[in-house]
Amino acid sequence: MKRILVTGANGFLGKNLCLKLNENPVFKLLKFTRNNDFEELKDLISKSDYIVHFASLIKSNNEDDFKKTNIFL
């Protein structure tokens, strides 16, 4: 069984990918959303065989928020 981590799992792309992956019993789905914290992310990464990174920040008045989420995540 391949474990796939999807970041941004509640967004448009992530949600639709998760729906498709759940149809196949070969995959175990791991999800990271805004409700998770970075300690959980570290744990999920260590358990993952593959990572699909869809997490991003669209709106913010702070440029550092964009870097933190879109680049450094």
Side-chain angles (χ1 to χ4, degrees):
M1 181 174 292
K2 297 295 182 183
R3 294 166 297 193
I4 300 177
L5 169 60
V6 178
T7 66
N10 286 343
F12 179 77
L13 294 174
K15 187 180 296 185
N16 285 287
L17 177 63
C18 290
L19 288 171
K20 287 306 273 184
L21 291 175
N22 276 329
E23 294 175 0
N24 191 330
V26 172
F27 302 119
K28 176 173 174 45
L29 189 57
L30 306 172
K31 298 179 182 181
F32 181 79
T33 69
R34 291 181 183 175
N35 297 325
N36 299 102
D37 62 37
F38 286 108
E39 288 304 313
E40 291 174 277
L41 179 60
K42 290 177 187 178
D43 183 53
L44 291 169
I45 289 171
S46 70
K47 294 177 181 176
S48 301
D49 296 307
Y50 301 98
I51 300 171
V52 180
H53 180 51
F54 286 139
S56 66
L57 181 65
I58 297 171
K59 298 177 185 176
S60 178
N61 292 329
N62 185 341
E63 187 174 322
D64 289 336
D65 289 342
F66 283 106
K67 289 178 184 175
K68 180 180 175 186
T69 303
N70 298 343
I71 298 171
F72 299 128
L73 180 68

